Amino acid sequence: MSDLPDIHSRDRQTGRVQDPEAHARAVRGMFARISGVYDRMNHVLSFNFDRRWRKRLAARLAPGTDRVLDLCAGTGDLGLACLAAGRARRVVAVDFVPEMLAGIVGKAGAEMVEAVAGDGLRLPLPDACVDAVVAGFGVRNLADPAAGAREMARVLRPGGRALVLEFFRTDPGATGESRGPAGLVRWTLGKALPAVGRVLARDHAAYAYLPGSMDRFHSVDEYRDVLREAGFAELFAERMTLGVAHLVGGVKSG
Ligand SMILES: C[S@@+](CC[C@H](N)C(=O)[O-])C[C@H]1O[C@@H](n2cnc3c(N)ncnc32)[C@H](O)[C@@H]1O
């Protein structure tokens, strides 16, 4: 994306951005600006598929899971979906943009969510304090995805599950998905998002960031390796809606 500033470019192997502070500042600013329209834009731009994807993630949590960390929780919809599905009893929602967390207030189940303003790369939580970690469209924004995965492993109890719902990079030719229906949907999103964002959210830059950030992030296979290196086993990946999004997860070893 030609109008993306260089601060979001990543090292192809490690996935780290070159200037973590500038990147985090820009990401914070973007989400603070669009927090008021975030939920509506999500449902409109995904034709409501985002709700279905969150439900499918929730179904992957072990029944009776007690305390779930919703990492990069935003307006809380993923943690709330886990509660609504009866798969979580309590949720800790961590995000570094308080304006996004404010969107949790008033939603069904919000009383079971503890919202904590904090950085996913330095979680303000003790070791092994949650029974599962979920993340929806969040890890792609982290300046250092491997450091984020290590934090997920640190706060998770051994045997607990990590479930990550994300738009991963697809390389031309590497999988059929870059050329099939998912490739078409992603290409359309890349063209449509900035325009729709300009009209509905009045923020062209924020919605131009999304397609660019998908292309710059890890592929599904690379992110599975990131989780493995952070101490997760029993890794799996599940395609959502013809590969538009993926759910990648594993169990904390030990
Ligand atoms: C695309 S939104 C996803 C929100 C929500 N999880 C969902 O499913 O709709 C990404 C969120 O990640 C948060 N975020 C990005 N980098 C973060 C970081 N380093 N620490 C905490 N939150 C972060 C942003 O503030 C934003 O709310």
Side-chain angles (χ1 to χ4, degrees), residues 27 31 38 42 54 70-75 78 94-97 100 118-121 136-138 140-142:
V27 170
F31 284 105
Y38 178 80
N42 249 359
R54 289 191 182 92
D70 184 357
L71 175 67
C72 300
T75 54
L78 186 57
V94 175
D95 199 286
F96 70 179
V97 175
M100 289 289 282
D119 192 336
L121 298 177
F137 312 109
R140 194 188 60 247
N141 300 289
L142 298 177

Side-chain angles (χ1 to χ4, degrees), residues 59-82:
R60 284 272 193 168
L61 281 176
T65 303
D66 183 17
R67 193 172 187 229
V68 173
L69 165 64
D70 184 357
L71 175 67
C72 300
T75 54
D77 280 1
L78 186 57
L80 291 167
C82 297

